[in-house]
Amino acid sequence: MWARVRKSCARLLRSLRVEADTRKDTRTHNLFEAAAVYVSARAEDDQEQVDEAAGWVSPEALSFGVSELACRAVIALARERDESPQTVARDLLGIPAA
């Protein structure tokens, strides 16, 4: 009787492990996706998501992606406001106009 209970429990545990493994995200992430998730998680103060995105690519690649995202965001906001990118960047950082 105990052998059947043990076998049933072992099957259950194996199925749970397999199910958990199939739910893992196995695809690769590019640096721009990592940067987008990282920055949005920082904005929402979601440390768990920040850590996850930071692990998708190397620190150098993440830094490049975040820098590229910042450039594109400042350009888009400057166009929307009809101002120069420098004015927008200084305004976002709270730096007085030069």
Side-chain angles (χ1 to χ4, degrees), residues 8-62:
S8 294
C9 288
R11 272 196 309 264
L12 174 65
L13 289 174
R14 258 193 316 274
S15 71
L16 291 175
R17 275 192 222 115
V18 168
E19 187 177 304
D21 287 346
T22 58
R23 282 187 277 166
K24 287 183 182 175
D25 190 6
T26 57
R27 68 187 183 90
T28 59
H29 301 276
N30 70 41
L31 66 101
F32 296 115
E33 182 180 17
V37 171
Y38 180 84
V39 169
S40 61
R42 291 279 313 265
E44 295 171 353
D45 200 25
D46 183 352
Q47 188 61 43
E48 186 176 314
Q49 190 70 40
V50 166
D51 295 340
E52 183 179 342
W56 290 348
V57 295
S58 71
E60 296 82 13
L62 183 62

Side-chain angles (χ1 to χ4, degrees), residues 57-93:
V57 295
S58 71
E60 296 82 13
L62 183 62
S63 177
F64 174 78
V66 168
S67 177
E68 186 65 23
L69 178 60
C71 289
R72 292 179 187 196
V74 167
I75 289 168
L77 194 54
R79 287 179 182 155
E80 184 180 294
R81 292 182 179 183
D82 197 28
E83 296 177 345
S84 74
Q86 183 178 7
T87 301
V88 171
R90 294 179 76 83
D91 183 50
L92 288 172
L93 293 171

